[in-house]
């Protein structure tokens, strides 16, 4: 009976460990920024595994990799997807778990001789992290037509390269068209990246949606001058306004319900000990599960920053790096994840995601849901990121049974 079907936990751990060697950092963790040589090596390994499993592998024009297991009927697949790029100080589970668990689902069905009515596709999307090229979820957005291919290829990264040039350089601009692909349903297994499941002692999170994200880069320009001879009252110091903006972000997060805010990058130029800076360039990351509150945070930040800039006599320009409204997942599919987790004997809770994920690009177009497993200490985007093997196994089994319910085992076939 397919009800008793379980993934091979050792095989999944082995694949995770082998992928973790690519871009491995000396003290643990990985650095596989999107479209680097390390990313290319990981992609080639993934494609080799897909081919071993007999999947039909397609690389599209933005470098998304899809391996499809045919169904007994043609049509859009049930897609199990995530990403294999990482931040510069990444862990080995973020993204990679969702892709490799997808392979494990396929391998388990193959071994049990179970065919499904609808195809099952395993996908790895280009540049989910946004750490090298913003916005995040880049490949998934292009896949679902929310971002144009040429627009995406023209994006300039933190090192001055473009998405298009790097895709071409590593040979990952595939021949398949992109932007019109439809899926029957989309599922993503991912580590929680937060502390809640561990704190509650719950094994599975049935994710109800992703909070809204607003990323902006501010360039503040003033007057560079001598640190010793310029009277305090005559200064136009971008560094002071940058520092005040960082304090403002923290204050707004305390005042608006559900709000979080972060200044992740701040550079002063020329960056010398005895020179009032000419310019400050900084990023602000604002998130809220409620769109109206997120807009309120953006508006208040804009107003108060304008006052700070006027008081100091500096100019401010703002550039949007990414902006996504909150996305709600499919309620019935979230319920299915819950039911499959319970049927497998796991504790489960409904929760919103604090982080952005590839799944949100699919939510407007197809029934979409995510499965979370606990992150030790709530830590991720960090080399010490860790999820216990029994939690990895539990999440992959929930993915297996949810995918199977959606793809529909064919009666009369072995095990079905
Ligand atoms: Zn991720």
């Amino acid at each position: 009976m397919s009800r008793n079907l379980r993934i091979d936990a050792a095989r999944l751990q082995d694949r995770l460990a082998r992928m973790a060697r690519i871009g491995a950092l000396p003290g643990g963790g990985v650095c596989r920024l999107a479209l680097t040589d390390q990313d290319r090596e990981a992609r080639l390994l993934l494609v080799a595994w897909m081919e071993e499993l007999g999947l039909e592998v397609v690389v599209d024009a933005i470098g998304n990799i899809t391996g499809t297991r045919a169904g007994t009927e043609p049509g859009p697949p049930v897609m199990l997807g995530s990403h294999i790029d990482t931040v510069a100080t990444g862990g080995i589970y973020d993204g990679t778990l969702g892709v490799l668990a997808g392979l494990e689902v396929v391998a388990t069905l193959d071994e049990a001789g179970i065919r499904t009515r609808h195809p099952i596709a395993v996908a790895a999307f280009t540049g989910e992290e946004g750490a090298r090229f913003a916005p995040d979820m880049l490949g998934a957005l292009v896949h679902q037509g929310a971002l144009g291919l040429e627009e995406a290829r023209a994006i300039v990264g933190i090192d001055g390269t473009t998405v298009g040039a790097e895709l071409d350089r590593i040979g990952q601009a595939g021949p398949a068209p992109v932007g019109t692909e439809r899926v029957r349903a989309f599922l993503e297994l991912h580590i929680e990246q937060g502390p809640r499941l561990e704190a509650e002692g719950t094994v599975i999170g049935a994710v109800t949606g992703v909070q809204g994200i607003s990323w902006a880069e501010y360039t503040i320009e003033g007057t560079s001058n001598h640190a010793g001879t310029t009277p305090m009252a005559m200064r136009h110091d971008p560094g002071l306004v940058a520092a005040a903006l960082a304090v403002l972000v923290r204050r707004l997060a305390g005042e608006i319900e559900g709000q979080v805010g972060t200044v992740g990058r701040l550079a002063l130029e020329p960056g010398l000990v005895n020179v009032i800076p000419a310019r400050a360039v900084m990023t602000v990351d604002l998130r809220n599960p409620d769109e109206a509150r997120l807009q309120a945070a953006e508006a208040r930040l804009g107003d108060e920053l304008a006052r700070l800039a006027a008081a100091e006599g500096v100019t401010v320009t703002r550039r949007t790096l990414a902006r996504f409204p909150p996305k709600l997942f499919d309620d019935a599919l979230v319920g299915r994840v819950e039911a499959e987790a319970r049927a497998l004997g796991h504790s489960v809770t409904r929760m919103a995601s604090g982080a952005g994920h590839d799944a949100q690009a699919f939510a407007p177009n197809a029934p979409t849901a995510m499965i979370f497993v606990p992150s030790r200490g709530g830590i991720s985007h960090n080399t010490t990121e860790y999820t216990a093997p029994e939690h990895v196994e539990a999440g992959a089994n929930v993915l297996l049974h949810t995918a199977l319910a959606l793809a529909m085992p064919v009666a009369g076939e072995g095990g079905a």
Side-chain angles (χ1 to χ4, degrees):
M1 289 291 287
S2 63
R3 193 67 265 162
N4 298 322
L5 206 59
R6 296 292 182 272
I7 60 103
D8 181 335
R11 183 172 52 198
L12 176 52
Q13 287 293 337
D14 180 60
R15 283 210 176 99
L16 279 166
R18 285 164 69 187
M19 197 56 101
R21 286 185 212 139
I22 302 175
L25 295 168
V30 284
C31 177
R32 273 199 314 268
L33 291 171
L35 307 181
T36 55
D37 290 345
Q38 291 75 27
D39 186 19
R40 174 177 179 273
E41 196 182 335
R43 288 161 169 272
L44 296 181
L45 178 60
L46 176 65
V47 168
W49 282 338
M50 286 178 164
E51 286 174 347
E52 266 173 38
L53 287 167
L55 299 179
E56 187 197 337
V57 179
V58 165
V59 181
D60 70 26
I62 197 69
N64 298 318
I65 300 170
T66 305
T68 303
R69 183 182 195 260
T72 57
E73 292 177 12
V78 173
M79 185 170 273
L80 317 179
S82 199
H83 60 97
I84 56 173
D85 70 313
T86 74
V87 296
T89 54
I92 71 169
Y93 302 93
D94 181 352
T96 305
L97 172 61
V99 177
L100 300 188
L103 294 185
E104 190 50 43
V105 167
V106 168
T108 303
L109 295 180
D110 285 351
E111 283 176 353
I114 295 175
R115 300 188 68 197
T116 56
R117 186 166 156 191
H118 305 296
I120 293 177
V122 180
F125 299 103
T126 297
E128 191 277 343
E129 292 290 6
R132 188 180 184 204
F133 300 104
D136 49 357
M137 283 87 71
L138 177 82
L141 289 169
V142 176
H143 190 278
Q144 288 298 290
L147 178 63
L149 174 63
E150 287 315 312
E151 196 185 334
R153 284 183 58 95
I155 289 169
V156 179
I158 54 172
D159 46 16
T161 58
T162 64
V163 167
E166 285 297 273
L167 265 175
D168 296 343
R169 183 185 68 80
I170 67 167
Q172 291 289 308
V178 73
T180 54
E181 291 297 299
R182 288 296 167 255
V183 301
R184 184 172 181 82
F186 187 87
L187 286 172
E188 183 172 5
L189 169 64
H190 204 283
I191 57 167
E192 181 197 348
Q193 304 180 271
R196 193 177 144 190
L197 289 175
E198 183 184 66
E200 292 179 2
T202 303
V203 174
I204 298 292
V207 184
T208 53
V210 176
Q211 65 182 343
I213 298 179
S214 169
W215 284 3
E217 179 188 77
Y218 292 91
T219 301
I220 306 166
E221 292 181 287
T223 307
S224 191
N225 209 335
H226 195 291
T229 62
T230 313
M232 296 311 289
M234 293 177 66
R235 295 186 183 212
H236 307 289
D237 183 352
L240 178 77
V241 176
L245 176 55
V247 173
L248 171 61
V249 166
R250 173 62 69 97
R251 181 159 59 73
L252 285 178
E255 291 173 6
I256 297 173
E257 188 184 335
Q259 186 66 44
V260 293
T262 304
V263 172
R265 186 148 49 86
L266 167 56
L268 301 179
E269 299 170 19
L272 300 169
V273 65
N274 57 353
V275 178
I276 299 165
R279 175 202 294 245
V281 181
M282 63 195 296
T283 58
V284 175
D285 173 322
L286 298 174
R287 306 188 194 207
N288 198 306
D290 182 272
E291 175 63 19
R293 292 196 184 106
L294 184 56
Q295 286 182 14
E298 291 172 319
R300 283 185 56 190
L301 189 136
D303 289 349
E304 297 198 32
L305 178 57
R307 273 199 290 280
L308 290 166
E312 185 64 12
V314 299
T315 62
V316 178
T317 51
R318 180 189 187 278
R319 185 164 72 95
T320 299
L321 299 178
R323 180 63 169 85
F324 302 106
K327 286 268 161 44
L328 281 182
F329 291 154
D330 184 81
D331 195 59
L333 192 48
V334 176
R336 169 62 77 168
V337 168
E338 274 184 304
E340 297 296 345
R342 285 212 183 87
L344 286 159
H346 300 305
S347 51
V348 57
T349 188
R350 285 191 173 226
M351 62 190 297
S353 172
H357 293 291
D358 291 308
Q360 72 197 70
F362 289 82
N365 303 326
T368 296
M370 291 187 72
I371 301 159
F372 274 176
V373 287
S375 296
R376 184 176 68 190
I379 289 171
S380 78
H381 284 188
N382 186 304
T383 57
T384 62
E385 167 189 295
Y386 178 78
T387 295
E390 64 268 29
H391 293 156
V392 167
E393 181 177 2
N397 276 318
V398 175
L399 182 70
L400 167 69
H401 283 282
T402 309
L404 198 52
L406 292 169
M408 302 171 77
V410 177
E413 293 288 338

